[in-house]
Each structure stands twice: as structure tokens, then as C-alpha cells.
Amino acid sequence: MSYPEIRPRRLRRNAAVRRLVSETRVDPAELVVPMFVKEGLTEPRAVASLPGVLQHSRDSLRKAAVEAVQAGVGGIMLFGVPASRDETGSGGIDPDGILNVAIRDVIAEVGDATVVMSDLCLDEFTSHGHCGLLTPDGAVDNDATLSAYARMAVAQADAGVHVVGPSGMMDGQVGAVRRALDAAGHQDVSVLAYAVKYASGFFGPFRDAVESALEGDRSTYQQDPANLRESVREVELDVAEGADMVMVKPALPYLDVVAAVRAAVNVPVAAYQVSGEYAMVEAAAANGWIDRERVIMETLTSIRRAGAQIILTYWAVEAAQLLRQRY
């Protein structure tokens, strides 16, 4: 049969019909909001390149965590911005470092009402801005970094975090973190592996948010944007090492990768809608070039359609509120 017997437009005739037959839905419980907390702040501070995103004080972070829970988001991913840095990123391992203190604050405020996650990487804490420890000639030392990640994971778990997110793209990082957590009695702490993280130009505003001290680039450990098969290999290795969930970062430029990862593994797949993706939409909307809310929801739906069950996005709270109004 063909036209006029077959008329696909019947299923688009009004909003109620379109809603009934929608193939892909984004749920607030699938959204995770990244939050930044800066040591020493007494009031939250705006991030100029990320309109609407804040560096939080400890007090404002607690309030923002409650707001996120009330909106129904599925999780909060915490990033720390220390007052000082050193060559080894010791502030990330210090139990009284800003990130570990923030974990305790948020857990005390919201408990198990949402999933509290923490970035597990040294880049925010090192004076050179790299994700690992350096050799004397300035290269990132993979195996020495694993030891630091193991100690950092235990410190975050001791602070009460539900999920750690090793994001440095070191070979063997998931296995090292999993073994350290288990040995310290934290068998119930989950690992969300940043399994696929590209050396992307979309990270720029994030580096403003964490006041990155990076010199050079991260191409020797983050992935080449040209590669897809390598991503599947990275994911399979991380699952074999004990990852409970895996993530692709960035999201929109790599929807094909999200789909390939979803097809390759049976653990939950996350995607991080990164700062550059967010900033582009906000800039275009500010100029009146696009319908802001419509584009926000369209981008999130595309990531979900590609296969990501979990989406990290700076719009998580707002999007959750919009979804509740819609449905």
C-alpha cells in the first residue's frame, strides 16, 4: 500500500497524538547536574563563559543541591576549585580539601534523595593543569597517576559519595579505583567511568569554571576525535575492569559514538553535554537566533535517542522543571 492509503501525518495531527506515539522521552531522573564549588567563596560567583552557571560557596552549594532534588534530577556531579594547587594535586586527596568537604556537605543536606557523584581527576588540583602526575620531562606518568587516583577515590568514598567518576583517561584507572575502594571497605560505591573522553575543543568554558592552570593540551591521553573503534575498545576495557556505568564526553558531536557504545555494552551509558555545547546554545539564544527552550529539549532528546540513559547537562534543573510542565 502507498499514498493515499498510507498517511504517516495522521500520527502528527496534534500535540496529544504526537505525545502518545513519541519514541524517545527524557525523564528528569535521567539528568545529572554538574556543580562547581570554590574554596573560600562566601557568595556564589557567575562563570562568564557559562551564563547561568555558578561557582558555588559551600552554603550556596547546599541550597542548589536541595533545589536539584526538588526538581527531580537524578544526580549531582561535584567539581572542586581549590584556593591553591601543587604539582601532585594533593588537595584532591586531602580529606579537608574542598571537593571532599563539599561531598560531605551535600550528603548531609540531601542524603540519598539523589545520587551524589564526584569527579575523580587531578586536573583541578594540579598547578600544571594536567590530569595526572608528571615525569621530570613533563610527560603524564600513567602508572604513578593510578596510585593517586586510588587514594583520591578512597578519600571521596570516605566523605560519603555514592559514585566516583574517574575522568583522566589513564590506562587501567577503573581497575585501580575499584580495587582501592573494595580494599577500603567501599564495595557499595559505584564507578562511572569516563570511558570515552575526546581531546575536544568544546571544553573551553569548563576550564574557566574550574580556573584550569593547563599548559599545552591533553592529546596524549584523551582520544583523537577522528576515532570511533578506539572508543568501543576503551569502553570494553573499562567494563572488564569493573565500571558500573560508562560515559561518552562530549555528547552532541559524538552521537554516533554514543550509539556504538550503547550497542557494545550492557551497563548504563551516560553522555556529558559539555560546557561548549551549552555555551553555544546560550550565545545563539541571547542573540535571538534560536528558540532557547526548544533547542535545549531538542539537544537532550537527541542524546537520549542515540542511546544515553544518563545525561550530564548544565540545564538539568531547568530541563527537569520543563519536563514536569510538559508531562
Side-chain angles (χ1 to χ4, degrees):
M1 296 176 66
S2 59
Y3 177 81
E5 290 82 9
I6 301 299
R7 293 178 179 262
R9 283 186 57 191
R10 291 184 186 122
L11 299 184
R12 306 174 202 145
R13 62 175 297 178
N14 59 39
V17 172
R18 292 193 296 272
R19 185 166 58 244
L20 178 68
V21 301
S22 178
E23 298 175 19
T24 304
R25 299 184 193 275
V26 179
D27 189 277
E30 298 170 334
L31 303 177
V32 175
V33 57
M35 292 187 183
F36 305 99
V37 57
K38 179 174 170 61
E39 186 174 10
L41 283 187
T42 56
E43 297 290 338
R45 178 183 297 169
V47 179
S49 56
L50 287 171
V53 176
L54 303 172
Q55 287 181 329
H56 284 285
S57 67
R58 289 177 61 187
D59 285 342
S60 71
L61 177 68
R62 287 192 287 264
K63 294 174 184 175
V66 171
E67 179 186 12
V69 168
Q70 291 172 341
V73 303
I76 299 168
M77 175 65 80
L78 297 174
F79 295 87
V81 185
S84 62
R85 296 172 165 89
D86 59 28
E87 285 290 308
T88 62
S90 62
I93 299 168
D94 182 355
D96 294 320
I98 184 59
L99 181 53
N100 295 319
V101 168
I103 293 168
R104 292 197 293 271
D105 286 344
V106 172
I107 289 291
E109 196 70 36
V110 303
D112 292 337
T114 194
V115 180
V116 180
M117 307 177 178
S118 53
D119 182 59
L120 200 169
C121 194
L122 294 177
D123 60 323
E124 295 123 70
F125 301 95
T126 54
S127 54
H128 46 73
H130 278 288
C131 296
L133 305 179
L134 301 185
T135 63
D137 63 359
V140 175
D141 188 328
N142 191 96
D143 293 3
T145 300
L146 296 185
S147 177
Y149 284 1
R151 296 195 302 274
M152 193 172 183
V154 172
Q156 293 179 356
D158 286 344
V161 80
H162 300 131
V163 178
V164 296
S167 62
M169 290 298 290
M170 297 296 122
D171 293 339
Q173 64 183 13
V174 172
V177 165
R178 183 73 270 163
R179 289 189 295 272
L181 290 171
D182 290 351
H186 292 299
Q187 294 89 345
D188 291 338
V189 173
S190 299
V191 176
L192 168 59
Y194 287 60
V196 180
K197 185 175 180 181
Y198 285 94
S200 172
F202 284 88
F203 297 148
F206 173 89
R207 292 172 184 168
D208 290 342
V210 297
E211 300 177 8
S212 173
L214 179 65
E215 299 174 2
D217 62 38
R218 296 171 176 153
S219 298
T220 65
Y221 46 101
Q222 294 177 351
Q223 287 179 249
D224 182 344
N227 293 353
L228 171 59
R229 292 190 299 273
E230 180 184 50
S231 297
V232 175
R233 183 186 186 206
E234 289 277 6
V235 165
E236 290 173 340
L237 287 169
D238 280 359
V239 171
E241 290 177 22
D244 300 288
M245 300 171 277
V246 295
M247 183 149 67
V248 177
K249 181 180 181 180
L252 286 177
Y254 300 96
L255 294 180
D256 60 326
V257 179
V258 174
V261 168
R262 174 67 286 165
V265 297
N266 291 318
V267 300
V269 174
Y272 196 141
Q273 187 178 48
V274 301
S275 58
E277 300 172 55
Y278 173 95
M280 287 192 304
V281 172
E282 291 289 348
N287 279 284
W289 297 335
I290 58 173
D291 180 330
R292 179 179 175 276
E293 289 186 1
R294 183 176 180 179
V295 170
I296 288 172
M297 299 313 302
E298 189 173 341
T299 61
L300 295 174
T301 301
S302 73
I303 298 166
R304 184 70 182 87
R305 188 184 64 244
Q309 179 180 339
I310 302 162
I311 304 173
L312 281 76
T313 174
Y314 299 98
W315 288 306
V317 173
E318 180 181 359
Q321 294 165 342
L322 291 172
L323 286 164
R324 287 188 164 185
Q325 293 169 12
R326 179 179 296 185
Y327 298 116

